[in-house]
Amino acid sequence: MIDTIIILCGGQGSRMGKKGLRIPKPLQKVGTKSILEHKIRYYYDQGIKKIILAVGFRSNVIKKMICEIDLPTDLDIDFSDAGENAGILKRIKSALR
């Protein structure tokens, strides 16, 4: 059974235009929660107990949001930051270390 996953959430959201510059794509709201929070809760409900967030662009904002939301206490969230300009493969490689 899979108990650990990596969520890529470090892209620049360039296709979102100006909206993506203000608020990182993973933090855009769908209803009352961010896309990232919806994903985290979904995977937790599927039995995932450890999530590695492969951050990059505006990682400080994403880290702050994670600290501010009420998540289950038995959920372990780690951050892997390969830098703002890292591509997908570099972020995955960094998260796997």
Side-chain angles (χ1 to χ4, degrees):
M1 178 182 201
I2 297 171
D3 63 353
T4 302
I5 63 164
I6 299 170
I7 297 177
L8 298 171
C9 54
Q12 295 184 6
S14 56
R15 291 181 296 249
M16 295 185 68
K18 291 180 183 179
K19 189 174 186 177
L21 291 174
R22 239 184 31 248
I23 301 170
K25 183 170 53 176
L27 300 185
Q28 297 290 328
K29 297 281 186 174
V30 175
T32 60
K33 297 179 181 132
S34 70
I35 293 169
L36 184 56
E37 185 176 352
H38 281 290
K39 283 184 165 195
I40 289 170
R41 291 185 186 284
Y42 171 80
Y43 288 120
Y44 179 80
D45 290 344
Q46 301 305 310
I48 301 298
K49 299 297 182 203
K50 181 172 182 175
I51 297 174
I52 301 168
L53 298 178
V55 297
F57 180 69
R58 308 226 25 220
S59 61
N60 58 327
V61 178
I62 293 172
K63 290 175 183 177
K64 182 179 180 214
M65 184 280 293
I66 292 298
C67 293
E68 292 175 352
I69 60 176
D70 185 28
L71 293 171
T73 56
D74 63 334
L75 177 62
D76 182 19
I77 295 183
D78 289 331
F79 296 94
S80 173
D81 191 345
E84 289 209 3
N85 296 316
I88 292 171
L89 293 177
K90 187 172 182 181
R91 287 199 307 271
I92 292 170
K93 184 177 179 181
S94 177
L96 291 174
R97 290 185 183 166

Coordinates of all heavy atoms in Angstrom, one line a residue:
M1 N 0.8 -1.2 0.0 CA 0.0 0.0 0.0 C 0.9 1.3 0.0 O 1.9 1.3 0.7 CB -0.9 0.0 1.2 CG -1.8 1.2 1.3 SD -2.8 1.2 2.8 CE -4.0 2.3 2.3
I2 N 0.5 2.2 -0.8 CA 1.2 3.5 -0.8 C 0.9 4.3 0.4 O -0.3 4.5 0.7 CB 0.9 4.2 -2.1 CG1 1.4 3.4 -3.3 CG2 1.5 5.6 -2.1 CD1 0.9 4.0 -4.7
D3 N 1.9 4.8 1.1 CA 1.6 5.7 2.2 C 2.2 7.0 2.1 O 2.0 7.9 3.0 CB 2.0 5.0 3.5 CG 3.5 4.7 3.6 OD1 4.2 4.9 2.6 OD2 3.9 4.3 4.7
T4 N 3.1 7.2 1.1 CA 3.8 8.5 0.9 C 3.6 9.0 -0.6 O 3.7 8.1 -1.5 CB 5.3 8.4 1.2 OG1 5.5 7.9 2.5 CG2 6.0 9.7 1.0
I5 N 3.3 10.2 -0.8 CA 3.2 10.8 -2.1 C 4.0 12.1 -2.2 O 4.3 12.7 -1.2 CB 1.8 11.0 -2.6 CG1 1.1 12.0 -1.7 CG2 1.0 9.7 -2.6 CD1 -0.2 12.6 -2.3
I6 N 4.3 12.5 -3.4 CA 4.8 13.8 -3.7 C 3.8 14.6 -4.5 O 3.2 14.1 -5.4 CB 6.1 13.7 -4.6 CG1 7.2 12.9 -3.9 CG2 6.6 15.1 -5.0 CD1 8.3 12.5 -4.8
I7 N 3.5 15.8 -4.0 CA 2.7 16.7 -4.7 C 3.5 17.8 -5.3 O 4.2 18.5 -4.6 CB 1.6 17.3 -3.8 CG1 0.6 16.2 -3.3 CG2 0.8 18.4 -4.6 CD1 -0.4 16.7 -2.3
L8 N 3.5 18.0 -6.6 CA 4.2 19.0 -7.3 C 3.5 20.3 -7.2 O 2.3 20.4 -7.6 CB 4.4 18.7 -8.8 CG 5.3 17.5 -9.1 CD1 5.2 17.1 -10.5 CD2 6.7 17.6 -8.6
C9 N 4.0 21.3 -6.5 CA 3.3 22.6 -6.3 C 4.3 23.7 -6.4 O 4.2 24.7 -5.6 CB 2.5 22.6 -5.0 SG 3.5 22.1 -3.5
G10 N 5.2 23.7 -7.3 CA 6.2 24.7 -7.4 C 6.3 25.4 -8.7 O 7.2 26.2 -9.0
G11 N 5.4 25.1 -9.6 CA 5.4 25.8 -10.9 C 5.0 27.3 -10.8 O 4.4 27.7 -9.8
Q12 N 5.3 28.0 -11.9 CA 5.1 29.4 -11.9 C 3.7 29.8 -12.3 O 3.3 31.0 -12.2 CB 6.1 30.1 -12.7 CG 7.5 30.0 -12.2 CD 8.5 30.7 -13.0 OE1 8.2 31.5 -13.9 NE2 9.8 30.6 -12.6
G13 N 2.9 28.9 -12.8 CA 1.5 29.2 -13.2 C 1.5 30.2 -14.3 O 0.6 31.1 -14.3
S14 N 2.4 30.1 -15.2 CA 2.5 31.2 -16.2 C 1.3 31.3 -17.1 O 0.9 32.3 -17.6 CB 3.7 30.9 -17.1 OG 3.7 29.6 -17.6
R15 N 0.5 30.2 -17.3 CA -0.7 30.2 -18.1 C -1.8 30.9 -17.4 O -2.8 31.2 -18.0 CB -1.1 28.8 -18.5 CG -0.1 28.1 -19.5 CD -0.5 26.8 -19.9 NE -0.5 25.9 -18.7 CZ 0.3 24.9 -18.5 NH1 1.2 24.6 -19.4 NH2 0.2 24.1 -17.5
M16 N -1.6 31.2 -16.1 CA -2.7 31.9 -15.4 C -2.6 33.4 -15.5 O -3.5 34.1 -15.0 CB -2.6 31.5 -13.9 CG -2.9 30.0 -13.7 SD -3.0 29.6 -12.0 CE -4.5 30.5 -11.5
G17 N -1.6 33.9 -16.1 CA -1.4 35.3 -16.3 C -1.1 36.0 -15.0 O -0.5 35.5 -14.1
K18 N -1.6 37.2 -14.8 CA -1.4 38.1 -13.6 C -1.9 37.4 -12.4 O -1.3 37.6 -11.3 CB -2.0 39.5 -13.8 CG -1.3 40.3 -14.9 CD -1.9 41.6 -15.0 CE -1.3 42.4 -16.1 NZ -1.9 43.7 -16.3
K19 N -3.0 36.7 -12.5 CA -3.6 36.1 -11.3 C -2.6 35.1 -10.7 O -2.5 34.9 -9.5 CB -4.9 35.3 -11.7 CG -5.6 34.8 -10.5 CD -7.0 34.3 -10.9 CE -7.8 33.9 -9.7 NZ -9.1 33.4 -10.1
G20 N -1.8 34.4 -11.5 CA -0.8 33.4 -11.0 C 0.4 34.1 -10.4 O 1.1 33.5 -9.6
L21 N 0.7 35.3 -10.7 CA 1.8 36.0 -10.1 C 1.4 36.5 -8.6 O 2.2 36.5 -7.8 CB 2.2 37.2 -10.9 CG 2.8 36.9 -12.2 CD1 3.0 38.2 -13.0 CD2 4.1 36.2 -12.0
R22 N 0.2 36.8 -8.5 CA -0.3 37.3 -7.1 C -0.4 36.1 -6.2 O 0.0 36.2 -5.0 CB -1.7 38.0 -7.3 CG -1.7 39.4 -6.8 CD -3.0 40.1 -6.9 NE -4.2 39.3 -6.7 CZ -5.1 39.0 -7.6 NH1 -5.0 39.4 -8.8 NH2 -6.1 38.2 -7.3
I23 N -1.1 35.1 -6.6 CA -1.4 34.0 -5.8 C -0.9 32.7 -6.5 O -1.4 32.5 -7.6 CB -2.9 33.8 -5.4 CG1 -3.4 35.1 -4.8 CG2 -3.2 32.6 -4.6 CD1 -4.9 35.1 -4.6
P24 N 0.0 31.9 -5.9 CA 0.5 30.7 -6.6 C -0.7 29.8 -7.0 O -1.6 29.7 -6.2 CB 1.4 30.1 -5.6 CG 1.8 31.2 -4.6 CD 0.7 32.1 -4.6
K25 N -0.5 29.1 -8.1 CA -1.6 28.2 -8.6 C -2.1 27.3 -7.5 O -3.3 27.1 -7.4 CB -1.1 27.5 -9.8 CG -2.2 26.6 -10.4 CD -1.8 26.1 -11.8 CE -0.4 25.4 -11.8 NZ -0.1 24.8 -13.1
P26 N -1.2 26.6 -6.7 CA -1.8 25.7 -5.7 C -2.6 26.3 -4.7 O -3.4 25.7 -4.0 CB -0.5 25.1 -5.1 CG 0.6 25.4 -6.0 CD 0.2 26.6 -6.8
L27 N -2.5 27.6 -4.5 CA -3.3 28.3 -3.5 C -4.5 29.0 -4.0 O -5.3 29.6 -3.3 CB -2.4 29.4 -2.8 CG -1.1 28.8 -2.1 CD1 -0.4 29.9 -1.3 CD2 -1.5 27.7 -1.2
Q28 N -4.8 28.9 -5.3 CA -6.0 29.4 -5.9 C -7.2 28.7 -5.2 O -7.1 27.5 -5.0 CB -6.1 29.2 -7.4 CG -5.0 29.9 -8.1 CD -5.1 31.4 -8.1 OE1 -6.3 32.0 -8.1 NE2 -4.0 32.2 -8.1
K29 N -8.3 29.4 -5.0 CA -9.4 28.8 -4.3 C -10.4 28.1 -5.2 O -10.6 28.6 -6.3 CB -10.2 29.9 -3.5 CG -9.4 30.6 -2.4 CD -9.4 29.8 -1.2 CE -8.7 30.6 -0.1 NZ -8.8 30.0 1.2
V30 N -10.9 27.0 -4.7 CA -12.0 26.3 -5.3 C -13.0 26.1 -4.2 O -12.8 25.4 -3.3 CB -11.6 24.9 -5.9 CG1 -12.8 24.1 -6.4 CG2 -10.5 25.0 -7.0
G31 N -14.0 26.9 -4.3 CA -14.9 27.0 -3.1 C -14.2 27.8 -2.0 O -13.7 28.8 -2.2
T32 N -14.2 27.2 -0.8 CA -13.6 27.8 0.3 C -12.2 27.4 0.6 O -11.5 27.9 1.5 CB -14.5 27.6 1.6 OG1 -14.5 26.2 1.8 CG2 -15.9 28.1 1.4
K33 N -11.7 26.4 -0.1 CA -10.3 25.9 0.1 C -9.5 26.0 -1.1 O -9.9 26.0 -2.2 CB -10.4 24.4 0.6 CG -11.1 24.2 1.8 CD -11.2 22.7 2.2 CE -12.0 22.5 3.4 NZ -13.0 21.5 3.3
S34 N -8.1 26.0 -0.9 CA -7.2 26.1 -2.0 C -7.1 24.7 -2.7 O -7.5 23.7 -2.1 CB -5.8 26.5 -1.5 OG -5.3 25.4 -0.7
I35 N -6.7 24.8 -3.9 CA -6.5 23.5 -4.7 C -5.6 22.6 -3.9 O -5.9 21.4 -3.8 CB -5.8 23.8 -6.1 CG1 -6.8 24.6 -6.9 CG2 -5.4 22.6 -6.8 CD1 -6.2 25.2 -8.2
L36 N -4.5 23.1 -3.3 CA -3.6 22.3 -2.6 C -4.2 21.6 -1.3 O -4.1 20.5 -1.1 CB -2.4 23.1 -2.1 CG -1.3 22.3 -1.4 CD1 -0.8 21.2 -2.3 CD2 -0.1 23.3 -1.1
E37 N -5.0 22.4 -0.6 CA -5.7 21.8 0.5 C -6.7 20.8 0.1 O -6.8 19.7 0.8 CB -6.5 22.9 1.3 CG -7.1 22.4 2.6 CD -7.7 23.4 3.5 OE1 -7.6 24.6 3.2 OE2 -8.4 23.0 4.5
H38 N -7.4 20.9 -1.0 CA -8.3 19.9 -1.5 C -7.5 18.6 -1.8 O -8.0 17.5 -1.4 CB -9.0 20.4 -2.7 CG -10.2 21.3 -2.5 ND1 -11.4 20.8 -2.0 CD2 -10.4 22.6 -2.8 CE1 -12.2 21.8 -1.9 NE2 -11.6 22.9 -2.4
K39 N -6.4 18.8 -2.4 CA -5.5 17.6 -2.7 C -5.0 16.9 -1.5 O -5.1 15.7 -1.4 CB -4.3 18.0 -3.6 CG -4.7 18.3 -5.0 CD -3.4 18.6 -5.8 CE -3.6 18.5 -7.2 NZ -2.4 18.4 -8.0
I40 N -4.5 17.7 -0.5 CA -4.0 17.1 0.7 C -5.1 16.3 1.4 O -4.9 15.2 1.8 CB -3.4 18.2 1.6 CG1 -2.1 18.7 1.0 CG2 -3.2 17.7 3.0 CD1 -1.6 20.0 1.7
R41 N -6.3 16.9 1.6 CA -7.4 16.2 2.3 C -7.8 15.0 1.5 O -8.1 13.9 2.1 CB -8.5 17.2 2.5 CG -8.2 18.2 3.5 CD -9.3 19.1 3.9 NE -8.9 20.2 4.7 CZ -8.7 20.1 6.0 NH1 -8.8 18.9 6.6 NH2 -8.3 21.1 6.8
Y42 N -7.9 15.1 0.2 CA -8.3 13.9 -0.6 C -7.3 12.7 -0.4 O -7.7 11.6 -0.1 CB -8.3 14.3 -2.1 CG -8.5 13.1 -3.0 CD1 -9.8 12.5 -3.2 CD2 -7.4 12.4 -3.6 CE1 -9.9 11.4 -3.9 CE2 -7.6 11.3 -4.4 CZ -8.8 10.8 -4.6 OH -9.0 9.6 -5.3
Y43 N -6.0 13.0 -0.5 CA -5.0 11.9 -0.3 C -5.0 11.4 1.1 O -4.9 10.2 1.3 CB -3.6 12.4 -0.8 CG -3.5 12.5 -2.2 CD1 -3.2 13.7 -2.8 CD2 -3.8 11.5 -3.1 CE1 -3.1 13.9 -4.2 CE2 -3.7 11.6 -4.5 CZ -3.3 12.8 -5.0 OH -3.2 12.9 -6.4
Y44 N -5.2 12.2 2.1 CA -5.3 11.8 3.5 C -6.5 10.8 3.6 O -6.4 9.8 4.2 CB -5.5 13.0 4.4 CG -5.6 12.5 5.8 CD1 -4.5 12.2 6.6 CD2 -6.8 12.5 6.5 CE1 -4.6 11.7 7.9 CE2 -7.0 12.0 7.8 CZ -5.8 11.7 8.5 OH -6.0 11.3 9.8
D45 N -7.6 11.2 3.0 CA -8.8 10.4 3.1 C -8.6 9.0 2.4 O -9.3 8.0 2.7 CB -10.0 11.1 2.5 CG -10.5 12.2 3.3 OD1 -10.2 12.3 4.5 OD2 -11.3 13.1 2.8
Q46 N -7.7 8.9 1.5 CA -7.3 7.7 0.8 C -6.3 6.9 1.5 O -5.9 5.8 1.0 CB -6.8 8.0 -0.7 CG -7.8 8.8 -1.5 CD -9.1 8.1 -1.6 OE1 -9.2 6.9 -1.9 NE2 -10.2 8.8 -1.4
G47 N -5.9 7.3 2.7 CA -4.9 6.6 3.5 C -3.5 7.0 3.5 O -2.6 6.4 4.1
I48 N -3.2 8.1 2.8 CA -1.9 8.6 2.7 C -1.6 9.4 4.0 O -2.3 10.2 4.4 CB -1.7 9.6 1.5 CG1 -2.0 8.9 0.2 CG2 -0.3 10.3 1.5 CD1 -1.1 7.8 -0.2
K49 N -0.4 9.0 4.6 CA -0.1 9.6 5.9 C 1.2 10.5 5.8 O 1.5 11.2 6.8 CB 0.2 8.5 6.9 CG -1.0 7.6 7.2 CD -2.1 8.4 7.8 CE -3.3 7.5 8.1 NZ -4.6 8.1 8.1
K50 N 1.9 10.5 4.7 CA 3.0 11.3 4.5 C 3.0 12.0 3.1 O 2.8 11.3 2.1 CB 4.3 10.6 4.7 CG 5.5 11.5 4.5 CD 6.8 10.8 4.8 CE 8.0 11.9 4.7 NZ 9.2 11.4 5.1
I51 N 3.1 13.3 3.1 CA 3.0 14.0 1.8 C 4.3 14.9 1.7 O 4.6 15.6 2.7 CB 1.8 14.9 1.7 CG1 0.5 14.0 1.7 CG2 1.8 15.8 0.5 CD1 -0.8 14.8 1.8
I52 N 5.0 14.8 0.6 CA 6.1 15.7 0.3 C 5.6 16.7 -0.7 O 5.2 16.4 -1.8 CB 7.3 14.9 -0.2 CG1 7.7 13.8 0.8 CG2 8.5 15.8 -0.6 CD1 8.7 12.8 0.2
L53 N 5.7 18.0 -0.3 CA 5.3 19.1 -1.2 C 6.6 19.6 -1.9 O 7.5 20.1 -1.3 CB 4.7 20.2 -0.4 CG 3.4 19.8 0.3 CD1 2.8 21.0 1.1 CD2 2.3 19.3 -0.7
A54 N 6.6 19.3 -3.2 CA 7.8 19.8 -4.0 C 7.5 21.2 -4.4 O 6.9 21.4 -5.4 CB 8.0 18.8 -5.2
V55 N 8.0 22.1 -3.6 CA 7.7 23.5 -3.8 C 8.8 24.2 -4.6 O 9.9 23.6 -4.8 CB 7.5 24.3 -2.5 CG1 6.3 23.8 -1.7 CG2 8.7 24.2 -1.6
G56 N 8.6 25.4 -5.1 CA 9.6 26.1 -5.8 C 9.1 27.6 -5.9 O 9.4 28.3 -4.9
F57 N 8.4 28.0 -6.9 CA 7.9 29.3 -7.0 C 7.1 29.8 -5.9 O 6.1 29.1 -5.5 CB 7.1 29.5 -8.3 CG 6.6 30.8 -8.6 CD1 7.5 31.8 -9.0 CD2 5.3 31.1 -8.6 CE1 7.0 33.1 -9.2 CE2 4.8 32.4 -8.8 CZ 5.6 33.4 -9.2
R58 N 7.5 30.8 -5.2 CA 6.8 31.4 -4.0 C 6.6 30.4 -2.9 O 5.5 30.3 -2.3 CB 5.5 32.0 -4.5 CG 5.6 33.0 -5.6 CD 5.0 34.3 -5.6 NE 4.7 34.9 -4.4 CZ 3.5 35.6 -4.2 NH1 2.7 35.8 -5.2 NH2 3.3 36.2 -3.1
S59 N 7.6 29.6 -2.7 CA 7.5 28.5 -1.7 C 7.2 29.1 -0.3 O 6.5 28.4 0.5 CB 8.8 27.7 -1.6 OG 9.9 28.5 -1.3
N60 N 7.6 30.2 0.0 CA 7.4 30.8 1.3 C 5.9 31.0 1.6 O 5.4 30.8 2.7 CB 8.1 32.1 1.5 CG 7.8 33.2 0.5 OD1 7.5 32.8 -0.7 ND2 7.8 34.4 0.8
V61 N 5.1 31.4 0.5 CA 3.7 31.6 0.7 C 3.0 30.2 0.9 O 2.1 30.1 1.7 CB 3.1 32.3 -0.6 CG1 1.6 32.5 -0.5 CG2 3.8 33.6 -0.8
I62 N 3.4 29.2 0.1 CA 2.8 27.9 0.3 C 3.1 27.3 1.7 O 2.2 26.8 2.3 CB 3.3 27.0 -0.8 CG1 2.8 27.5 -2.2 CG2 2.9 25.5 -0.6 CD1 3.4 26.8 -3.4
K63 N 4.3 27.4 2.1 CA 4.7 26.9 3.5 C 3.9 27.6 4.5 O 3.4 27.0 5.5 CB 6.2 27.1 3.7 CG 7.1 26.2 2.9 CD 8.5 26.6 3.1 CE 9.4 25.7 2.2 NZ 10.8 26.1 2.4
K64 N 3.7 28.9 4.4 CA 2.9 29.7 5.4 C 1.5 29.2 5.4 O 0.9 29.0 6.5 CB 3.0 31.2 5.1 CG 2.2 32.0 6.0 CD 2.3 33.5 5.7 CE 1.5 34.3 6.7 NZ 0.9 35.5 6.2
M65 N 0.9 29.0 4.2 CA -0.5 28.5 4.1 C -0.7 27.1 4.8 O -1.6 26.9 5.6 CB -1.0 28.4 2.7 CG -2.4 28.0 2.5 SD -2.9 26.3 2.6 CE -2.1 25.6 1.2
I66 N 0.3 26.2 4.6 CA 0.2 24.9 5.2 C 0.2 25.0 6.7 O -0.5 24.3 7.4 CB 1.4 24.0 4.7 CG1 1.2 23.7 3.2 CG2 1.5 22.7 5.5 CD1 -0.1 22.9 2.9
C67 N 1.0 25.9 7.3 CA 1.1 26.1 8.7 C -0.2 26.7 9.3 O -0.5 26.5 10.5 CB 2.3 27.0 9.1 SG 3.8 26.2 8.7
E68 N -1.0 27.4 8.5 CA -2.2 28.1 8.9 C -3.4 27.2 8.9 O -4.4 27.6 9.5 CB -2.4 29.4 8.2 CG -1.3 30.4 8.5 CD -1.4 31.6 7.6 OE1 -2.2 31.7 6.7 OE2 -0.7 32.6 7.9
I69 N -3.4 26.1 8.1 CA -4.7 25.4 8.0 C -4.7 24.2 9.0 O -3.7 23.8 9.5 CB -4.9 24.8 6.5 CG1 -3.8 23.9 6.1 CG2 -5.1 25.9 5.6 CD1 -4.0 23.3 4.7
D70 N -5.9 23.8 9.3 CA -6.1 22.8 10.3 C -6.1 21.4 9.6 O -7.1 21.0 9.0 CB -7.4 23.0 11.0 CG -7.7 22.1 12.2 OD1 -6.7 21.6 12.8 OD2 -8.9 21.8 12.5
L71 N -5.0 20.7 9.8 CA -4.8 19.4 9.1 C -4.7 18.3 10.2 O -4.4 18.6 11.4 CB -3.5 19.4 8.3 CG -3.5 20.3 7.1 CD1 -2.1 20.3 6.5 CD2 -4.5 19.8 6.1
P72 N -5.1 17.1 9.9 CA -5.0 16.0 10.9 C -3.6 15.9 11.5 O -2.6 16.1 10.8 CB -5.3 14.8 10.0 CG -6.1 15.3 8.8 CD -5.5 16.6 8.6
T73 N -3.6 15.6 12.8 CA -2.3 15.6 13.5 C -1.4 14.4 13.1 O -0.2 14.4 13.3 CB -2.5 15.6 15.0 OG1 -3.4 14.4 15.3 CG2 -3.2 16.8 15.5
D74 N -2.0 13.3 12.6 CA -1.2 12.2 12.2 C -0.7 12.3 10.7 O -0.2 11.3 10.2 CB -2.0 10.9 12.4 CG -3.3 10.8 11.6 OD1 -3.8 11.8 11.2 OD2 -3.7 9.6 11.3
L75 N -0.9 13.4 10.1 CA -0.5 13.6 8.7 C 0.9 14.3 8.8 O 1.1 15.3 9.4 CB -1.4 14.5 7.9 CG -1.0 14.9 6.5 CD1 -0.9 13.7 5.7 CD2 -2.1 15.9 5.9
D76 N 1.9 13.7 8.1 CA 3.2 14.2 8.1 C 3.5 14.9 6.8 O 3.4 14.3 5.7 CB 4.2 13.1 8.3 CG 5.7 13.5 8.3 OD1 5.9 14.7 8.6 OD2 6.6 12.7 8.1
I77 N 3.7 16.2 6.8 CA 4.0 17.0 5.6 C 5.4 17.5 5.6 O 5.8 18.2 6.6 CB 3.0 18.2 5.4 CG1 1.6 17.6 5.2 CG2 3.4 19.1 4.3 CD1 0.6 18.7 5.0
D78 N 6.2 17.2 4.6 CA 7.6 17.7 4.4 C 7.6 18.5 3.2 O 6.8 18.4 2.3 CB 8.5 16.5 4.3 CG 8.8 15.7 5.5 OD1 8.6 16.3 6.6 OD2 9.1 14.5 5.4
F79 N 8.6 19.4 3.1 CA 8.8 20.3 2.0 C 10.1 20.0 1.3 O 11.1 19.7 2.0 CB 8.8 21.8 2.4 CG 7.5 22.2 3.0 CD1 7.3 22.2 4.4 CD2 6.5 22.7 2.2 CE1 6.1 22.6 4.9 CE2 5.3 23.1 2.7 CZ 5.1 23.1 4.1
S80 N 10.1 20.0 0.0 CA 11.3 19.8 -0.8 C 11.4 21.0 -1.7 O 10.5 21.2 -2.5 CB 11.2 18.5 -1.6 OG 12.3 18.5 -2.5
D81 N 12.4 21.9 -1.5 CA 12.5 23.1 -2.3 C 13.7 23.1 -3.1 O 14.8 23.2 -2.7 CB 12.5 24.3 -1.3 CG 12.4 25.6 -2.0 OD1 12.5 25.7 -3.3 OD2 12.1 26.6 -1.4
A82 N 13.5 22.9 -4.4 CA 14.7 22.8 -5.4 C 14.9 24.2 -6.0 O 15.8 24.3 -6.9 CB 14.4 21.8 -6.5
G83 N 14.2 25.2 -5.6 CA 14.5 26.5 -6.1 C 13.3 27.0 -7.0 O 12.6 26.2 -7.6
E84 N 13.2 28.3 -7.2 CA 12.1 28.9 -8.0 C 12.2 28.5 -9.4 O 11.2 28.4 -10.1 CB 12.1 30.4 -7.8 CG 11.6 30.8 -6.4 CD 11.0 32.2 -6.4 OE1 10.8 32.8 -7.5 OE2 10.6 32.6 -5.3
N85 N 13.4 28.3 -10.0 CA 13.5 28.0 -11.4 C 13.6 26.6 -11.8 O 13.8 26.3 -12.9 CB 14.6 28.9 -12.0 CG 14.4 30.3 -11.9 OD1 13.3 30.8 -12.1 ND2 15.4 31.1 -11.4
A86 N 13.5 25.7 -10.8 CA 13.6 24.3 -11.0 C 12.5 23.7 -11.9 O 11.3 24.1 -11.6 CB 13.7 23.5 -9.7
G87 N 12.8 22.9 -12.8 CA 11.7 22.2 -13.6 C 11.1 21.0 -12.8 O 11.6 20.7 -11.7
I88 N 10.2 20.4 -13.4 CA 9.5 19.3 -12.8 C 10.5 18.1 -12.4 O 10.4 17.7 -11.3 CB 8.4 18.7 -13.7 CG1 7.3 19.8 -13.9 CG2 7.8 17.4 -13.2 CD1 6.2 19.4 -14.9
L89 N 11.3 17.7 -13.3 CA 12.2 16.6 -13.0 C 13.2 16.9 -11.9 O 13.4 16.1 -11.0 CB 13.0 16.2 -14.3 CG 12.1 15.6 -15.4 CD1 13.0 15.3 -16.6 CD2 11.4 14.3 -14.9
K90 N 13.7 18.2 -11.8 CA 14.6 18.6 -10.8 C 13.8 18.6 -9.4 O 14.4 18.1 -8.4 CB 15.2 19.9 -11.1 CG 16.2 20.3 -10.1 CD 17.0 21.6 -10.5 CE 18.1 21.9 -9.5 NZ 18.8 23.1 -9.8
R91 N 12.6 19.0 -9.4 CA 11.8 19.0 -8.2 C 11.5 17.6 -7.7 O 11.6 17.3 -6.5 CB 10.5 19.8 -8.3 CG 10.8 21.3 -8.4 CD 9.5 22.1 -8.1 NE 8.4 21.8 -8.9 CZ 8.1 22.3 -10.1 NH1 8.9 23.2 -10.6 NH2 7.0 22.0 -10.7
I92 N 11.2 16.7 -8.6 CA 11.0 15.3 -8.2 C 12.3 14.7 -7.7 O 12.3 14.0 -6.6 CB 10.5 14.5 -9.4 CG1 9.0 14.9 -9.8 CG2 10.5 13.0 -9.1 CD1 8.5 14.3 -11.1
K93 N 13.4 14.9 -8.4 CA 14.7 14.3 -7.9 C 15.0 14.8 -6.5 O 15.5 14.1 -5.7 CB 15.8 14.7 -8.9 CG 17.1 14.1 -8.6 CD 18.1 14.4 -9.7 CE 19.5 13.8 -9.3 NZ 20.5 14.1 -10.3
S94 N 14.8 16.1 -6.3 CA 15.1 16.7 -5.0 C 14.2 16.1 -3.9 O 14.6 15.8 -2.8 CB 14.9 18.2 -5.1 OG 15.1 18.8 -3.8
A95 N 12.9 15.9 -4.2 CA 12.0 15.3 -3.3 C 12.3 13.9 -2.9 O 12.0 13.4 -1.8 CB 10.6 15.4 -3.8
L96 N 12.9 13.1 -3.8 CA 13.2 11.7 -3.6 C 14.5 11.5 -2.7 O 14.7 10.4 -2.3 CB 13.4 11.0 -4.9 CG 12.1 10.8 -5.7 CD1 12.4 10.2 -7.1 CD2 11.1 10.0 -4.9
R97 N 15.2 12.6 -2.4 CA 16.4 12.4 -1.6 C 16.1 12.2 -0.2 O 15.2 12.6 0.4 CB 17.3 13.7 -1.8 CG 17.9 13.7 -3.2 CD 18.8 14.8 -3.3 NE 19.3 14.8 -4.7 CZ 19.9 15.9 -5.2 NH1 20.2 16.9 -4.5 NH2 20.3 15.8 -6.5

